[in-house]
């Protein structure tokens, strides 16, 4: 290289700003310094040339000889390349990518080193955030239990397996990873190559989505919603498939039942030909159309659906906005009923009896109107003929005889029963043929007799009462009543009016009677289906709300109390899962009968969904009456139910809310009863609880904490603190207990007792538990020495089948030796599903993890626990440590535990040691490990106490 090129090269190096480029002498002394080095490290050339480059390393690195090792590697191999923390003149650290090249002369003699350093702090931070995001995503997927989420390779073989997949399909990861996903399909689907076709669709379009039957490990089928997404890398190359499956069996069954109910209702309504039955939306547009509507009005469904119902009115009525006024009445009062002229498609008119009912959903919101129209033109014509005949008879007395015959003919052929009485004597002067059918006797035997002489007492009282009303006031008077006739019990709709004779001193009463039994039964069937549960025939949520509203109004006026009870079956889901929905449905029907038998006739029992029931108890005097009923309900459900050879036992939890002057609305009452039900279930189930204002305040507070906790998890506000554990040597720390702390941005530091219970109730404990395990293992792996780290496990974590996998993953990712991880459990783990939880503990033990029994002696402590599982440690609860100086019982318990531990060769940890006196006494009693404020308070990993002074 000539002098000019050497100068150019030096100028180039000196001008580079993004890289620190400088020369070192063989002993590491800085020989040159470019602008990039000054920018990166803060030293000017005058300050650094002649200084050793070890100045850029941390004190620990210098003590460990890291700078010299780098030079030695470069000398031996020609180049040394690494990344790590380096330090500027002001002491600040940056993440550096470093290259050291050995420079030799033509004879191979070492002249020095060329060193290039680049500040990669920003890239390192981006990589760290990406890794954390990927870790959160992985924990989220692994913790999901309601969805089966897993990956397939290019051939359709399972690559991984989350907790939801194990729960939905029954396979553990070791059984299914590496197997082809077609095993979840039926044999017929596999023969038809359905799995491969589905993958093909995902490959071509990017996604396959479907619903259908899939099969679990035990051969049972479930209805699944399936999504398969093709996954490609940045270059567009296919690398596998992501598969999400959700068990929708229960939703499918509910949907099927709903469809059957809707089909039955639709067939009932659409098959009716004598009535036009159809729905209007909230604006009055026709939504559907039955056969009776087509017959009555001439429009086919496709012609009229979407049109405003005002097309059936005359132009004058539309101009006066009568249709909208009628809807307004229905909306205000719940029903509009009238008679008047309506018009068919061809323009012809018919006289219609019209009913419009306002329809509201469960929340009370208007969703439309039900409209029933009946063509009563013929009936009206008969009535008009009667009136015209009467007028004609009065106007032309000379033709009275002929008119009488004419009137007889008309009356005889009227399809309704007609009775004419003398207003004074009540003698029956005229009846038609329909009367014979109604009363079951020849009309000649009825003529010229009074009602009580030819009819039953019930019928005669009914007609006499109507006649009295007609005589008291002019006009047409109607009444409808269920009465016993010759044809059995029938609903009679009767109109009564008076007719003046030619002599003003003589009047007549005309009764027109129609049998409306069939019409009312059809109305009742429609009404029942809209207001009752299809499975149990109990009132549904809509009718329950109406009954509760009526009871609240009546009891407020009468000075009584209304009680609302919310009921939930305990362990019903286990019956459904184990024996199927048919047995579950039969069990619900049996439970409904038992509950109904306990109640009074005027109490309302409703099924409001799944295994949830609700009760209205009107007219009670105090809370004790409601409590007595609740206990009777619990006792009624207690005896086992035998269904198809299975003896099934379920419990009942009850929440009670009483009406008050403050807020007597159905929604408020149900919400309060539901909060009381939640309290009953939280306090052990198979019991009842009364609503209190504290529950409402607590529920609001818990909702705030729950929402904040979700933000805390996603916003990394949670951190582990570590409290030292010593073996009695005043300077030796053998391990730490990891304790979670929440740094709330507004409330400050929140302790676990204030948020762990809420995490357990909401299911967030699984995410928190996984975070604690991964974080504790990660931080412990960076500690010098062999100190252990202890992590508390919630009993609810044992309900998640992936617990062992989470622990295994935390160890594998962190590289922490399994014997350095200790998990602490409480006695409640051994009380709940003992056999299953013992197996989980055995699996954890097989990983090499240490197991400690925490808070021993405070709950249901039993020697059988220590026989059922070989615990590594027992932790004496700090309450005994606090009391041992003043309580002989506390000291006796400590001695019993330490004596037992020596016999079983189990270490004892004393928690909550706060004084030297306690420490000395516990050592005398045989405790081997100690933890408490005497030895140090919990601190973050970087500030944790490392030695005892």
């Amino acid at each position: 290289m000539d002098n000019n090129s050497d100068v150019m090269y030096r100028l180039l190096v000196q001008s580079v700003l993004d890289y620190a480029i400088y020369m070192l002498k063989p002993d590491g002394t800085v020989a040159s310094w470019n602008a990039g080095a000054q920018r990166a490290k803060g030293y000017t050339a005058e300050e650094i040339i002649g200084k050793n480059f070890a100045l850029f390393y941390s004190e620990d690195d210098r003590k460990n000889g890291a700078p010299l090792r780098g030079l030695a590697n470069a000398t031996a191999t020609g180049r040394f390349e690494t990344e790590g923390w380096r330090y500027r003149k002001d002491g600040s650290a940056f993440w550096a990518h470093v290259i050291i090249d050995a420079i030799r002369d033509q004879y191979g003699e070492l002249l020095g080193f060329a060193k290039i350093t680049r500040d990669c702090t920003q890239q390192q931070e981006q990589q760290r955030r990406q890794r954390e995001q990927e870790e959160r995503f992985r924990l989220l997927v692994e913790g999901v239990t309601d969805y089966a989420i897993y990956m397939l390779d290019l051939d359709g073989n399972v690559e991984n397996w989350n907790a939801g997949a194990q729960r939905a399909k029954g396979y553990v990861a070791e059984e299914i990873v590496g197997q082809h996903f077609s095993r979840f399909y039926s044999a017929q689907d596999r023969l038809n190559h359905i799995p491969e076709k589905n993958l093909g669709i995902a490959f071509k379009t990017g996604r396959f989505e479907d619903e259908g039957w899939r099969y679990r490990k035990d051969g049972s089928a479930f209805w699944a919603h399936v999504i398969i997404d093709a996954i490609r890398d940045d270059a567009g190359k296919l690398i596998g498939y992501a598969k999400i499956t959700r068990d929708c069996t229960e939703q499918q069954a509910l949907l099927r039942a709903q469809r059957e109910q809707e089909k039955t209702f639709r067939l009932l309504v659409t098959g009716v030909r004598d009535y036009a039955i159809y729905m209007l939306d909230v604006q009055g547009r026709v939504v559907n159309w039955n056969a009776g509507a087509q017959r009555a009005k001439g429009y086919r469904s496709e012609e009229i659906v979407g049109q405003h119902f005002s097309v059936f009115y005359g132009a004058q009525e539309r101009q006066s906005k009568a249709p909208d006024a009628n809807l307004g009445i229905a909306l205000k009062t719940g029903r509009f009923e009238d008679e008047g002229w309506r018009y068919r498609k061809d323009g012809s008119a018919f006289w219609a009896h019209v009913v419009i009912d306002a329809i509201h959903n469960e929340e009370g919101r208007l969703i439309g109107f039900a409209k029933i129209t009946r063509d009563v033109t013929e009936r009206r014509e008969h009535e008009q003929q009667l009136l015209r005949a009467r007028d004609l008879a009065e106007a032309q007395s000379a033709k009275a005889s002929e008119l009488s015959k004419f009137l007889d003919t008309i009356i005889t052929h009227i399809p309704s029963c007609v009775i004419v009485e003398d207003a004074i004597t009540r003698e029956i002067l005229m009846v038609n043929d329909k009367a014979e059918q109604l009363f079951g006797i020849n009309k000649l035997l009825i003529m010229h007799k009074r009602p009580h002489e030819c009819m039953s007492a019930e019928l005669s009282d009914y007609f006499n009462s109507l006649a009295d009303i007609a005589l008291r006031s002019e006009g047409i008077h109607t009444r409808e009543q269920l009465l016993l006739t010759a044809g059995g019990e029938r609903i009679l709709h009767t109109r009564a009016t008076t007719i003046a004779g030619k002599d003003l001193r003589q009047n007549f009463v005309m009764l027109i009677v129609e049998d409306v039994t069939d019409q009312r039964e059809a109305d009742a069937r429609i009404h029942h289906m809209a207001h009752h549960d299809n499975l149990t025939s109990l009132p549904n949520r809509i009718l329950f709300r109406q009954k509760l509203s009526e009871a609240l109004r009546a009891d407020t006026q009468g000075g009584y109390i209304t009680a609302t009870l919310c009921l939930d079956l305990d362990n019903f889901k286990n019956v459904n899962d184990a024996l199927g929905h048919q047995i579950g449905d039969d069990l619900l029907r049996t439970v409904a009968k038992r509950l109904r038998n306990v109640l009074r006739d005027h109490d309302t029992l409703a099924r409001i969904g799944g295994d949830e029931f609700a009760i209205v108890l009107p007219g009670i005097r105090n809370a004790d009456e409601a409590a007595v009923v609740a206990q009777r309900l619990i006792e009624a459900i207690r005896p086992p139910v035998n269904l198809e050879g299975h003896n099934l036992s379920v419990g009942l939890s009850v929440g009670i809310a009483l009406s008050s002057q403050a807020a007597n609305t159905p929604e408020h009452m149900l919400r309060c009863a539901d909060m009381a039900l939640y309290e009953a279930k939280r306090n052990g189930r198979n019991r009842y609880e009364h609503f209190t204002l504290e529950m409402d305040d607590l529920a609001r507070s818990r909702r705030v904490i729950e929402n904040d906790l979700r933000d805390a998890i996603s916003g990394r506000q949670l951190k582990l603190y570590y409290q030292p554990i010593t073996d009695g040597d005043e300077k030796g720390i053998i391990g730490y207990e990891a304790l979670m702390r929440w740094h709330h941005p507004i409330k400050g530091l929140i302790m676990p007792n204030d948020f762990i219970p809420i995490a357990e109730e909401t299911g967030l404990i699984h995410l928190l538990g996984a975070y604690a395990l991964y974080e504790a293992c990660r931080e412990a792996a960076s500690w010098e020495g062999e100190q252990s780290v202890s992590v508390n496990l919630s009993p609810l974590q044992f309900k998640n089948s992936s617990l062992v996998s989470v622990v295994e993953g935390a160890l594998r990712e962190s590289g922490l030796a399994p014997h350095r991880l200790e998990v602490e459990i409480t006695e409640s783990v051994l009380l709940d599903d003992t056999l299953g939880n013992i197996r989980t503990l055995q699996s954890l033990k097989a990983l090499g993890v240490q197991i400690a029994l925490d808070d021993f002696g405070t709950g249901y402590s039993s020697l059988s626990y220590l026989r059922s599982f070989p615990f590594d440690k027992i932790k004496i609860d700090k309450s005994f440590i606090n009391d041992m100086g003043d309580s002989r019982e506390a000291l006796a318990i400590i001695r019993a535990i330490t004596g037992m531990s020596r016999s079983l060769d189990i270490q004892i940890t004393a928690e909550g040691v706060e004084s030297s006196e306690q420490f000395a006494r516990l050592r005398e009693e045989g405790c081997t490990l100690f933890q408490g404020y005497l030895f140090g308070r919990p601190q973050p990993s970087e500030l944790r106490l490392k030695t005892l002074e």
Side-chain angles (χ1 to χ4, degrees):
M1 183 180 294
D2 58 29
N3 289 335
N4 287 334
S5 60
D6 183 63
V7 170
M8 291 294 291
Y9 179 78
R10 190 163 55 251
L11 289 173
L12 174 64
V13 169
Q14 289 296 331
S15 63
V16 171
L17 292 177
D18 292 331
Y19 290 82
I21 304 175
Y22 53 98
M23 294 292 294
L24 303 178
K25 294 179 181 180
D27 63 352
T29 302
V30 177
S32 65
W33 195 247
N34 81 327
Q38 180 172 338
R39 179 183 182 186
K41 304 197 178 187
Y43 295 92
T44 63
E46 297 78 37
E47 293 174 311
I48 199 63
I49 290 177
K51 302 289 181 64
N52 194 284
F53 85 114
L55 191 64
F56 311 135
Y57 289 73
S58 69
E59 183 178 352
D60 287 342
D61 283 346
R62 291 197 294 273
K63 287 180 180 178
N64 293 334
L68 294 178
R69 280 200 302 276
L71 293 185
N73 286 335
T75 302
T77 64
R79 168 172 282 207
F80 173 73
E81 187 170 359
T82 187
E83 286 190 1
W85 292 108
R86 296 296 183 268
Y87 295 82
R88 302 183 181 91
K89 175 184 175 182
D90 61 6
S92 61
F94 66 99
W95 187 263
H97 178 263
V98 178
I99 297 174
I100 304 176
D101 285 313
I103 307 299
R104 299 179 184 275
D105 62 14
Q106 58 186 346
Y107 304 106
E109 190 70 22
L110 181 68
L111 299 178
F113 302 90
K115 192 163 184 296
I116 302 175
T117 304
R118 188 180 185 190
D119 184 348
C120 298
T121 308
Q122 187 174 1
Q123 297 92 318
Q124 175 70 9
E125 179 61 19
Q126 289 174 345
Q127 291 173 2
R128 184 187 66 78
R129 284 199 297 268
Q130 183 177 356
R131 286 195 299 273
E132 288 177 349
Q133 184 176 359
E134 291 171 351
E135 175 61 12
R136 285 197 298 271
F137 181 78
R138 187 182 62 76
L139 288 175
L140 174 63
V141 170
E142 287 183 350
V144 169
T145 57
D146 291 332
Y147 291 82
I149 304 174
Y150 51 98
M151 290 290 295
L152 305 178
D153 64 18
L154 298 176
D155 298 320
N157 298 316
V158 178
E159 289 191 323
N160 50 43
W161 198 245
N162 82 325
Q166 180 171 338
R167 178 183 178 191
K169 306 196 178 188
Y171 297 91
V172 296
E174 302 80 59
E175 296 173 308
I176 199 62
V177 170
Q179 303 292 324
H180 197 270
F181 84 110
S182 60
R183 66 170 47 203
F184 310 134
Y185 288 70
S186 67
Q188 186 63 44
D189 283 348
R190 291 197 293 273
L191 284 174
N192 294 333
H193 303 290
I194 298 301
E196 291 78 9
K197 291 177 181 177
N198 294 351
L199 279 190
I201 294 171
F203 175 79
K204 290 179 182 178
T205 66
R207 167 170 284 207
F208 168 80
E209 186 170 1
D210 194 19
E211 288 190 358
W213 291 109
R214 297 295 184 270
Y215 295 82
R216 302 185 181 92
K217 176 184 175 183
D218 60 8
S220 60
F222 66 100
W223 187 264
H225 178 260
V226 178
I227 295 174
I228 305 176
D229 282 315
I231 307 301
R232 300 180 182 274
D233 62 16
D234 293 339
K237 180 183 176 183
L238 182 71
I239 59 174
Y241 301 88
K243 193 162 185 297
I244 302 176
T245 304
R246 188 181 188 193
D247 184 348
C248 298
T249 310
E250 186 171 354
Q251 297 94 315
Q252 181 71 8
L254 290 172
L255 183 60
R256 188 166 57 250
Q258 183 180 354
R259 286 171 178 165
E260 286 296 318
Q261 183 177 357
E262 290 173 351
K263 180 181 177 183
T264 303
F265 181 82
R266 189 172 64 254
L267 290 175
L268 170 68
V269 171
T270 57
V272 173
R273 297 183 58 82
D274 292 330
Y275 293 81
I277 304 175
Y278 51 99
M279 292 287 295
L280 306 177
D281 64 16
V282 292
Q283 281 81 35
R285 293 187 293 263
V286 177
V287 175
N288 51 42
W289 197 247
N290 79 328
Q294 181 170 338
R295 179 184 180 190
K297 305 196 178 189
Y299 295 94
R300 296 192 308 277
S301 176
E302 54 270 25
E303 295 175 309
I304 197 62
V305 169
Q307 302 293 323
H308 197 273
F309 83 114
S310 59
V311 299
F312 312 133
Y313 287 73
Q316 187 174 352
E317 287 176 302
R318 289 198 298 269
Q319 189 174 0
S320 64
K321 298 187 178 179
D324 293 331
N326 296 349
L327 286 189
I329 294 171
L331 180 59
K332 184 177 180 180
T333 66
R335 165 173 282 213
F336 168 81
E337 187 170 1
D338 193 19
E339 289 189 1
W341 292 109
R342 297 294 184 269
Y343 296 84
R344 302 184 181 91
K345 176 185 174 182
D346 60 8
S348 60
F350 65 98
W351 189 260
H353 176 262
V354 177
V355 175
I356 304 176
D357 283 313
I359 306 299
H360 297 82
N361 62 11
E362 293 181 1
E363 290 77 32
R365 182 172 62 85
L366 179 71
I367 59 174
F369 301 89
K371 194 161 185 295
I372 302 176
T373 303
R374 188 182 184 191
D375 184 347
V376 292
T377 308
E378 186 179 356
R379 189 205 72 201
R380 183 176 185 276
E381 182 59 29
H382 287 307
E383 292 175 359
Q384 292 297 314
Q385 286 177 346
L386 284 174
L387 294 174
R388 286 196 297 271
R390 186 193 67 180
D391 293 339
L392 188 61
E394 290 176 348
Q396 302 179 10
S397 58
K399 298 180 179 179
S401 177
E402 293 180 18
L403 288 175
S404 178
K405 292 179 182 179
F406 175 64
L407 190 58
D408 286 342
T409 302
I410 292 175
I411 292 175
T412 299
H413 292 91
I414 286 178
S416 302
C417 171
V418 177
I419 305 171
V420 179
E421 299 177 353
D422 183 285
I424 297 174
T425 66
R426 297 295 167 84
E427 178 185 352
I428 298 173
L429 304 175
M430 184 182 298
V431 292
N432 66 349
D433 293 344
K434 277 288 183 179
E436 290 186 348
Q437 300 174 20
L438 182 65
F439 303 125
I441 54 177
N442 190 287
K443 65 181 180 180
L444 295 177
L445 299 177
I446 299 174
M447 295 280 287
H448 308 300
K449 291 184 178 178
R450 297 183 178 90
H452 69 273
E453 295 173 338
C454 58
M455 303 178 193
S456 67
E458 184 181 36
L459 283 171
S460 65
D461 288 346
Y462 173 69
F463 290 128
N464 285 337
S465 174
L466 268 171
D468 289 344
I469 293 171
L471 287 170
R472 283 198 295 269
S473 59
E474 294 181 344
I476 298 175
H477 303 275
T478 62
R479 180 179 295 178
E480 194 169 291
Q481 189 171 325
L482 179 66
L483 297 164
L484 183 62
T485 70
E489 285 192 332
R490 309 298 291 175
I491 300 173
L492 302 184
H493 180 88
T494 306
R495 290 184 296 280
T497 186
T498 56
I499 302 172
K502 57 184 176 180
D503 185 343
L504 295 178
R505 291 171 297 177
Q506 187 177 23
N507 282 334
F508 304 94
V509 176
M510 182 172 68
L511 302 164
I512 300 175
V513 186
E514 286 186 280
D515 183 349
V516 295
T517 307
D518 295 338
Q519 176 184 344
R520 295 299 177 259
E521 286 179 353
D523 292 344
R525 280 198 300 273
I526 294 171
H527 186 273
H528 186 275
M529 292 177 70
H531 292 84
H532 289 78
D533 170 49
N534 191 45
L535 178 65
T536 62
S537 291
L538 292 176
N540 61 13
R541 186 184 291 270
I542 295 173
L543 183 55
F544 176 82
R545 185 183 177 281
Q546 293 176 6
K547 294 292 186 181
L548 178 54
S549 182
E550 293 168 3
L552 289 169
R553 284 197 299 270
D555 287 344
T556 300
Q557 294 172 359
Y560 289 99
I561 295 172
T562 304
T564 304
L565 279 60
C566 281
L567 290 65
D568 187 82
L569 296 182
D570 302 327
N571 303 319
F572 175 75
K573 186 177 185 298
N574 296 338
V575 175
N576 249 2
D577 292 344
L579 302 177
H581 291 282
Q582 184 58 50
I583 296 292
D585 289 348
D586 292 342
L587 178 59
L588 285 174
R589 280 188 280 265
T590 302
V591 165
K593 290 178 183 176
R594 288 188 180 182
L595 296 175
R596 181 65 261 179
N597 290 338
V598 172
L599 301 173
R600 304 168 296 181
D601 290 341
H602 60 282
D603 296 335
T604 299
L605 169 66
R607 178 177 177 234
I608 57 177
D611 60 342
E612 299 177 20
F613 296 84
I615 294 173
V616 180
L617 298 180
I620 64 172
R621 295 176 180 82
N622 52 53
D624 291 341
E625 291 186 30
V628 169
V629 174
Q631 190 59 45
R632 286 207 303 263
L633 293 166
I634 293 170
E635 296 301 326
I637 300 304
R638 197 183 302 277
V641 178
N642 188 283
L643 294 173
E644 298 185 11
H646 302 284
N647 272 330
L648 307 177
S649 294
V650 292
L652 186 69
S653 297
V654 183
I656 305 171
L658 303 178
S659 60
S660 65
Q661 297 301 320
N664 282 354
T665 67
E667 291 78 11
H668 178 77
M669 294 288 289
L670 272 172
R671 186 170 67 85
C672 293
D674 194 56
M675 281 190 275
L677 171 62
Y678 173 83
E679 186 71 11
K681 296 174 80 69
R682 195 173 70 86
N683 289 336
R685 302 173 183 267
N686 207 34
R687 57 182 289 132
Y688 65 84
E689 292 285 352
H690 287 276
F691 169 77
T692 63
L693 292 176
E694 289 76 11
M695 289 181 191
D696 198 18
D697 295 339
L698 184 60
R700 288 194 182 95
S701 175
R702 295 174 89 86
R703 281 194 294 273
V704 170
I705 295 177
E706 179 188 344
N707 291 333
D708 286 355
L709 185 55
R710 294 183 187 278
D711 293 338
I713 295 171
S714 61
R716 299 186 64 81
Q717 298 171 16
L718 299 166
K719 188 173 180 64
L720 292 182
Y721 280 44
Y722 298 89
Q723 185 173 33
I725 302 170
T726 179
D727 59 0
D729 181 353
E730 295 188 6
K731 292 188 178 180
I733 294 177
I734 63 143
Y736 301 87
E737 180 178 1
L739 302 167
M740 189 169 288
R741 299 291 186 264
W742 177 4
H743 291 271
H744 194 283
I746 297 174
K747 300 176 183 176
L749 189 65
I750 300 179
M751 303 303 283
N753 288 343
D754 295 324
F755 66 86
I756 292 296
I758 295 174
E760 289 179 330
E761 290 166 10
T762 58
L764 293 173
I765 191 64
H766 300 295
L767 285 174
L768 290 184
Y771 167 78
L773 283 164
Y774 273 81
E775 188 71 3
C777 290
R778 183 188 67 80
E779 293 192 318
S782 68
W783 299 341
E784 296 178 1
E786 286 289 307
Q787 290 114 331
S788 64
V789 63
S790 179
V791 180
N792 291 281
L793 296 183
S794 164
L796 287 179
Q797 288 179 262
F798 282 79
K799 296 183 182 296
N800 191 332
S801 58
S802 66
L803 174 60
V804 176
S805 300
V806 171
V807 174
E808 190 174 20
L811 290 170
R812 182 174 60 251
E813 182 169 306
S814 65
L816 184 71
H819 72 273
R820 291 183 61 195
L821 175 62
E822 177 181 297
V823 295
E824 297 185 14
I825 69 165
T826 59
E827 298 164 9
S828 57
V829 169
L830 301 173
L831 280 171
D832 185 17
D833 187 21
T834 304
L835 185 58
N837 290 345
I838 289 291
R839 287 174 180 161
T840 301
L841 289 172
Q842 290 169 342
S843 298
L844 292 173
K845 190 81 169 177
L847 295 177
V849 172
Q850 304 291 304
I851 312 290
L853 183 58
D854 195 12
D855 298 339
F856 189 75
T858 59
Y860 303 92
S861 301
S862 169
L863 292 177
S864 63
Y865 299 161
L866 306 181
R867 292 178 56 198
S868 63
F869 185 77
F871 289 97
D872 298 291
K873 294 179 184 176
I874 296 174
K875 301 189 75 171
I876 303 176
D877 187 70
K878 61 182 178 181
S879 61
F880 298 114
I881 310 299
N882 293 337
D883 297 342
M884 70 177 184
D886 303 320
S887 169
R888 293 176 55 193
E889 291 81 3
L891 186 58
I893 291 173
I894 292 172
R895 286 175 176 169
I897 295 173
T898 54
M900 178 180 59
S901 69
R902 284 192 295 270
S903 302
L904 297 174
D905 194 24
I906 299 176
Q907 285 190 309
I908 294 292
T909 302
E911 294 185 291
V913 182
E914 298 185 0
S915 68
S916 300
E917 292 78 9
Q918 290 175 339
F919 176 47
R921 187 61 180 272
L922 289 166
R923 291 184 69 178
E924 291 175 7
E925 297 299 337
C927 290
T928 53
L929 301 174
F930 305 89
Q931 180 181 348
Y933 289 167
L934 178 63
F935 309 105
R937 293 178 178 271
Q939 293 289 345
S941 176
E942 61 273 15
L943 301 177
R944 75 189 189 284
L945 194 66
K946 298 178 182 178
T947 58
L948 298 176
E949 297 299 334

